[in-house]
Each structure stands twice: as structure tokens, then as C-alpha cells.
Amino acid sequence: TADDCRPAAGRLFPGGFLSLVDVPEAVRELRRCVEELGMVGVHVPPSLPVPHPAAPAAFPAIRLPKHVSHPDFHPILAAAEALDVAVGVHGSPGVYLPSGISEQVDTFILAHIFGHRNQMQMALATCVFDGVFDRFPRLRMGFLEAGCGWLPDLVHAFHEHWEKRIRDFDPDTRVAMGEFTRELLRERGGQDG
């Protein structure tokens, strides 16, 4: 990828791919991509399939996703933040869908439609609710190849559930959807955060 982009330097910017299977190796590869190959970022899958605790012998047929937000993957995110490079999250039809969903999408088109969109929603939601952006305030992430039509639906779901839960703590709090969305999408770090 880096070699392919060199003839169009300044217009094309290379990005590497990291596997989540071996975290120390992923950190080494991230550093190599940036420091040796001059890449501006990397992309990772939204999750890693892991055995379901109730059926470990049935893996990979029965599995759960270990999300990119999982603490095991924090060294990768910390290295990206320290190197000031972007991390793109990119889904893969069928491969990383947890069992239960994957059995419902038996064609490429269904896996492509529901896989990418749902994987991006889940990846962003877990990063938000697991505190990734609080823990790594200068980390830049993109959630790729699913268009952006899923984002308003996800923001609506965040707002709806926030309104339901805030009543348990402060029943008088009300935040309009527009204000909530602006805060959710506000750039963090730098002078703003």
C-alpha cells in the first residue's frame, strides 16, 4: 500500500491493516506502518470472535465478539494516540458477526447490508459506553464502509436511552436531541476538551 501511494504522494495516503489476534504484534506493526512506511493510519476490525463461555468447544460456530473497545486492545489504541495517527474500524461480512446474527444472514448481500452497518453501530457504541474516548482523548477513529445513514439512528437510540436512565438520577434534567447530538459529536482534545 505504501509503495502504491508514493507516486501520488500528497493525494493518496496509505493506511495499514492490523489484526486484533496478537496485541503486542499489532502494536509493533502499527509502529512499523507509521515510522518505517510513513502511513497516516491503520484500520482494525470492529471485534475479534472469541469462544462463547457456555459452549467453548463449539467455537467458531458459537462465538461472541470481543469488541475493539475491550481493555485487551487498549495498547493498540494508546499507541495510535501516541503516534497521532487515525484508527479506522472496518467490518467484514459474516466473519465477525456473533453467532445468533450470523445464522440469520445466509447470503453475501444480507451479510454486507447488516454486517457493516450493525458492526459500525456496535463498535461506536462500545467505544462510547466503554469509555474509550475518555481514556484516549486525542485518539482519532473513523467507522468506515457503512455509509453514514446508521449514525442518526444510533444517536437517536443513545438519546432515548440516556433520557430513560437520567431520570433515575436527576428527574428534572432535559436535554434536547439537537443539543445532545452536538455534545456527542463534539471534537474532543485540544482547546475544546
Side-chain angles (χ1 to χ4, degrees):
T1 301
D3 290 339
D4 295 334
C5 292
R6 277 191 185 83
R11 291 184 327 140
L12 294 178
F13 301 93
F17 175 80
L18 302 181
S19 170
L20 299 177
V21 172
D22 183 332
V23 172
E25 186 58 35
V27 171
R28 278 191 290 281
E29 180 63 9
L30 171 59
R31 291 193 177 287
R32 186 182 80 84
C33 287
V34 174
E35 295 168 349
E36 293 177 30
L37 301 175
M39 295 185 176
V40 298
V42 294
H43 72 270
V44 297
S47 61
L48 180 70
V50 296
H52 192 291
F59 183 78
I62 299 175
R63 62 193 176 274
L64 291 174
K66 182 193 257 187
H67 300 290
V68 69
S69 61
H70 192 280
D72 287 354
F73 304 130
H74 286 181
I76 299 168
L77 303 178
E81 181 184 46
L83 291 166
D84 192 28
V85 294
V87 175
V89 179
H90 185 276
S92 178
V95 176
Y96 298 105
L97 292 174
S99 57
I101 295 172
S102 60
E103 288 80 11
Q104 297 179 50
V105 291
D106 59 355
T107 64
F108 174 81
I109 195 162
L110 290 176
H112 200 260
I113 290 170
F114 293 101
H116 281 303
R117 175 177 315 222
N118 293 331
Q119 288 173 343
M120 292 306 99
Q121 286 186 324
M122 184 63 74
L124 178 54
T126 60
C127 284
V128 168
F129 295 121
D130 290 345
V132 165
F133 303 117
D134 294 323
R135 192 168 287 110
F136 306 104
R138 292 180 323 280
L139 178 65
R140 293 177 288 133
M141 293 183 80
F143 299 86
L144 310 169
E145 174 128 16
C148 61
W150 55 268
L151 187 58
D153 177 58
L154 184 64
V155 170
H156 171 74
F158 282 5
H159 183 256
E160 178 183 31
H161 287 82
W162 180 82
E163 276 190 328
K164 288 177 184 177
R165 297 299 145 236
I166 196 64
R167 289 185 196 127
D168 295 341
F169 305 101
D170 186 354
D172 297 325
T173 298
R174 297 283 183 264
V175 176
M177 175 69 110
E179 184 182 341
F180 180 87
T181 303
R182 280 188 295 282
E183 176 59 21
L184 181 68
L185 300 177
R186 177 176 60 87
E187 185 175 340
R188 304 298 197 253
Q191 294 178 354
D192 195 19

